[in-house]
Amino acid sequence: MIIVRIKGGLGNQMFQYAVGRSLSLKTGLPLVLDKRHYLREREHGYALNGFRLADTPVDASQLPPAPREKPLRHWIWRLMRRQPQLLREAGAAFDPAIVKVSGPAWIEGYFQSERYFADHAETIRAELTPLSPPDPENARWLAEIDAEPRAVSLHVRRGDYVRNAQFAATHGSCTPAYYARALDHVANRMGAAPVIYAFSDDPDWVRENLRLPAEIRLPDHNDATRNVEDLRLMSACRHHIVANSSFSWWGAWLNPRPDKIVAAPARWFADPAYLNPDIWAEGWARIEG
């Protein structure tokens, strides 16, 4: 089996699924999603149920003992060199040891780079498609976006990036100056005036603070339990302005158009101790701000 430890919010879970699925396709081994992290996680829950995943459900008793849930049993497992051994991503950047996996593996990390799964991009995009059709409100927005050739998704991530001091120090939030520069870049490349579809976990902040020289439309009807629907709408836009957020990253990457324009922050982390030079997908522009 290719076993992947699933943890974090939706965007992180999507990266973990993508690398696991890519390894599964490469090795011919079934993919198993290890969800035991959420037995104790309080900030997030498992959120991939809304997609067309190709994983193999197994009973927890069939999995190796988890390091945090069963630390003693896990220590004995490692001491006895039982298989598969747990392979952790070496750091924030792309870890070539992960893609070299050729047999059963149990992997853990955030895997925030398309380099892990670019060879299977078409399959990944197809499987990270919502299972259910959109409800009437989302269908209305989707039809509007599909009909608008100047549609640009813009994502503002606040939430725990603002209210959690540790997250604020590590990640930080994109500034209005960044969004202004990103819009300028996208508009110049488009050669037309963008129509902005703004998505955020804090739509009131967007209404009160985001002042840009463009028409801004704000689909704010999906709450956190329906963020898969926001991904569907974001990926339907022609072009994208992303925040330093894995959720935002997926909203742009899931758009399969080869001519899409994507503007992303040049500084992904506020803390310079954190660095991932592989976070930007191929062709994305890095905008200072």
Side-chain angles (χ1 to χ4, degrees):
M1 297 185 293
I2 299 295
I3 306 171
V4 184
R5 288 276 287 175
I6 303 296
K7 60 184 179 180
L10 175 59
N12 288 324
Q13 294 175 43
M14 293 170 74
F15 275 114
Q16 291 149 11
Y17 175 79
V19 68
R21 180 62 170 138
S22 184
L23 290 175
S24 173
L25 290 166
K26 171 190 169 185
T27 62
L29 295 170
L31 171 63
V32 172
L33 304 182
D34 180 356
K35 309 167 190 174
R36 291 174 292 178
H37 176 82
Y38 297 103
L39 296 174
R40 59 186 181 84
E41 168 72 23
R42 295 294 177 266
E43 181 71 21
H44 303 288
Y46 178 73
L48 297 177
N49 285 325
F51 295 117
R52 305 175 184 276
L53 306 187
D55 61 317
T56 302
V58 300
D59 187 85
S61 63
Q62 298 176 258
L63 297 174
R68 294 173 180 84
E69 289 78 22
K70 302 285 185 180
L72 179 58
R73 290 182 59 196
H74 179 74
W75 180 81
I76 295 171
W77 174 278
R78 297 191 65 178
L79 189 66
M80 296 177 66
R81 298 186 180 276
R82 300 287 298 277
Q83 296 295 325
Q85 291 292 330
L86 178 60
L87 177 62
R88 288 191 172 96
E89 188 181 28
F94 173 76
D95 180 357
I98 301 297
V99 296
K100 291 178 181 176
V101 166
S102 59
W106 183 23
I107 63 172
E108 180 176 4
Y110 288 104
F111 311 115
Q112 294 184 342
S113 172
E114 73 168 352
R115 293 179 64 186
Y116 287 113
F117 48 86
D119 289 347
H120 300 104
E122 186 175 344
T123 299
I124 300 299
R125 285 194 177 97
E127 293 174 355
L128 291 177
T129 297
L131 270 170
S132 304
D135 62 22
E137 179 69 1
N138 281 299
R140 183 185 70 78
W141 279 103
L142 189 61
E144 177 182 320
I145 290 170
D146 283 342
E148 177 52 76
R150 298 174 297 147
V152 176
S153 78
L154 181 151
H155 184 244
V156 177
R157 167 71 182 269
R158 289 180 58 77
D160 51 6
Y161 277 21
V162 175
R163 67 173 182 267
N164 183 308
Q166 181 180 351
F167 273 54
T170 301
H171 298 280
S173 296
C174 293
T175 65
Y178 159 73
Y179 288 108
R181 293 189 184 102
L183 175 62
D184 187 57
H185 170 83
V186 172
N188 286 336
R189 290 282 307 277
M190 287 175 59
V195 175
I196 297 295
Y197 288 85
F199 299 85
S200 179
D201 53 4
D202 191 350
D204 289 339
W205 186 93
V206 174
R207 289 190 187 90
E208 295 168 8
N209 296 278
L210 197 62
R211 300 288 181 265
L212 295 172
E215 180 182 356
I216 299 177
R217 302 173 185 177
L218 189 60
D220 61 352
H221 56 287
N222 293 315
D223 61 18
T225 67
R226 296 177 56 74
N227 50 16
V228 168
E229 294 298 334
D230 273 353
L231 279 179
R232 185 185 340 235
L233 297 178
M234 291 167 70
S235 64
C237 293
R238 300 301 197 276
H239 310 292
H240 309 274
I241 296 172
V242 306
N244 56 334
S245 153
S246 57
F247 180 84
S248 185
W249 191 100
W250 282 103
W253 191 87
L254 287 172
N255 175 358
R257 294 182 179 88
D259 61 344
K260 67 185 176 185
I261 303 162
V262 181
R267 187 175 180 182
W268 202 265
F269 294 98
D271 186 343
Y274 291 84
L275 182 64
N276 181 358
D278 303 301
I279 187 70
W280 300 276
E282 185 72 25
W284 291 14
R286 305 179 192 185
I287 307 298
E288 298 291 342

